[in-house]
Amino acid sequence: MSPVQFAAIGHRGRELSIEYTWIDAEAPDAPLLVFLHEGLGSVAMWRDFPAQLCAASGCRGLVYSRPGYGRSTPRRADERWPPDFLERQAREVLPAFLDTVGIDPRTQPVILFGHSDGGSIALIAAGEPASAWAGVIVMAPHLFAEDVSLISIRAIRDSYRSSDLRGRLARFHDDPDSAFYGWNDVWLDADFATFSLEAAVSRIRCPVLAIQGVDDEYGTMAQIDAIAARVADCSLLKLAACGHSPQRDQPEAVITAVVRWLQAPKSV
């Protein structure tokens, strides 16, 4: 990866600093994978997985931390993210960031690679009417809230308050409370219980690869099965002995599947 850089974007009356890094930026003609992290993720929390995937696939990579995470602008202490926070990231922050760093999906092949909340953001972006993504890869995405998701999110809130989890997250986030409570509070908001991306996913016209671990503690196979039921060109990978983070539990299987999918003819 290249050294971390920062991009300034305007969003709803604020100027935000976005942490990001490139992988193999010197190959401008290669397809670009844009990595969208999980609900507690950041540039650093991806570790070396994006570089490994780009090396195996011949793609370039762009990895960034959303506002509130990593070294990007933290969430204000009095700021509570609204139930449509995923939509705002997909429709407002992501396009503004890509425009700032000079990426236009209409003129170059760009593939969104999202994990968990990042996968949801990727799906929303792909469902936009004027979207021009070359494809979408999602791992453990959320299309709707399941009981298993909410049980696990309540449990990790208790762990954050009673264990060393806050200290461990502080290695990856300048403000771990910003990252944790921004994500945790909105997921446990009563108004978020009815959230659904099924309509947005039904509008996706680009190819999709959806990956889920059999032992995912934050969601079931119903999530990616719902994508397959709505997207014409959708491939599924269901991984045994794998939890919520396939890139950590089964990295070789994920990389092999992504490379195969990238090389396969697409039907749409």
Side-chain angles (χ1 to χ4, degrees):
M1 289 189 185
S2 66
V4 169
Q5 303 177 62
F6 293 88
I9 67 168
H11 183 249
R12 296 186 176 246
R14 294 183 69 194
E15 183 173 287
L16 303 174
S17 177
I18 305 295
E19 169 193 31
Y20 70 99
T21 185
W22 293 100
I23 302 168
D24 293 333
E26 67 277 5
D29 296 331
L32 176 67
L33 295 173
V34 177
F35 291 86
L36 305 168
H37 62 72
E38 63 185 300
L40 292 178
S42 67
V43 167
M45 284 193 72
W46 280 106
R47 303 184 188 274
D48 60 354
F49 176 79
Q52 291 178 347
L53 178 56
C54 288
S57 65
C59 292
R60 296 178 294 148
L62 177 59
V63 190
Y64 76 101
S65 297
R66 297 192 294 275
Y69 296 94
R71 297 170 63 191
S72 295
T73 300
R75 178 180 56 90
R76 292 189 299 257
D78 62 346
E79 179 185 4
R80 188 181 180 95
W81 289 342
D84 67 345
F85 81 111
L86 294 170
E87 287 88 347
R88 293 187 183 191
Q89 290 296 320
R91 295 169 178 154
E92 299 170 11
V93 175
L94 174 62
F97 167 67
L98 292 181
D99 183 63
T100 298
V101 299
I103 298 301
D104 185 348
R106 296 169 298 180
T107 61
Q108 56 187 293
V110 180
I111 299 164
L112 299 176
F113 189 107
H115 175 216
S116 190
D117 280 14
S120 302
I121 292 166
L123 294 170
I124 296 166
E128 288 295 280
S131 67
W133 311 107
V136 173
I137 303 166
V138 292
M139 300 186 302
H142 304 287
L143 275 70
F144 41 82
E146 295 183 276
D147 288 343
V148 65
S149 308
L150 300 178
I151 290 169
S152 294
I153 291 169
R154 291 188 188 100
I156 199 171
R157 178 184 58 186
D158 294 339
S159 178
Y160 189 80
R161 293 171 175 172
S162 62
S163 72
D164 66 344
L165 177 57
R166 185 182 186 279
R168 288 185 279 125
L169 287 176
R171 303 201 307 265
F172 303 101
H173 305 283
D174 284 349
D175 186 341
D177 289 343
S178 164
F180 184 84
Y181 285 112
W183 164 77
N184 196 260
D185 284 350
V186 71
W187 264 94
L188 296 180
D189 189 315
D191 290 337
F192 193 69
T194 59
F195 118 97
S196 172
L197 302 185
E198 292 167 289
V201 169
S202 296
R203 296 191 293 268
I204 293 176
R205 296 295 177 262
C206 65
V208 175
L209 170 62
I211 302 168
Q212 187 94 17
V214 171
D215 302 320
D216 190 339
E217 63 272 33
Y218 288 94
T220 70
M221 291 299 165
Q223 302 286 341
I224 64 171
D225 287 341
I227 300 173
R230 290 165 174 81
V231 176
D233 189 345
C234 180
S235 301
L236 300 185
L237 175 63
K238 300 181 178 183
L239 293 171
C242 181
H244 189 60
S245 299
Q247 77 276 18
R248 291 196 285 271
D249 293 349
Q250 297 276 359
E252 296 85 0
V254 172
I255 291 171
T256 297
V258 170
V259 171
R260 184 182 298 122
W261 178 81
L262 289 169
Q263 295 172 343
K266 304 297 187 287
S267 65
V268 294

